[in-house]
Amino acid sequence: MAQTGILYLIPTVLADGTAEQVISPQIKETVQHLTYFIVENLRTARRFVKSICPELVIEQLSFVQVDKDATPAQVQKSLEPLLKGQHAGIISEAGCPGVADPGAEVVKYAHQKNIKVVPFAGPSAILLSLMGSGFNGQRFAFHGYLPIERGPRLQALRHLEKEMQQRDQTQIFMETPYRNNKLLEDLVQTLHPSTRLCIAANITSPEHELIQTKTIADWKNTLPDIHKQPAVFLIYK
């Protein structure tokens, strides 16, 4: 039986133009020797590979898109070259593959097929925001995106605040960037004045990074404008 290839989990940047600072030489060296990539977004993945390995000819590489709408059959098909011995890299649209990312499904099937999985360290918006928040790093939960409809969203926020109190647990969540300011308004109107909120926007960006923790009472009159900026929100007591 042929030796299977290795599946490398390749972190990418959170902010444009930061590859030099946040992507390790080990990652660049690995990407240099890969010709097959399983990616969340074709355009951003090609651009990222070219930015860290400019000597590679993108047209000579294979990119297969596996996004949140991919079927199990498509996910399994993406692993077929590895079953024949070819190595591959997974690239998320931003940050670490497999964390709040459809690449997790690829990794799941890779384990079922006894394919070796090698994760590389890199920037994770979830962990970096938690590190910078001053909140409980022993017990925390990431909830992804909250409901779009206002009623269910306010209900979700109240539930997260209750969970935070009962479990002594930092609650972490995100929003689609163009709805950030609306979420901020809902947070200050819904949560208890003494609850602390950390806003972490443009993480790793040398010019525009904002990581700040205040009580809801203190945030009320000083909400930042983070419209269309990638952000993570954390609450804790």
Side-chain angles (χ1 to χ4, degrees), residues 124-138:
S124 161
I126 300 164
L127 282 180
L128 290 172
S129 64
L130 179 63
M131 288 164 63
S133 68
F135 293 167
N136 191 339
Q138 300 273 24

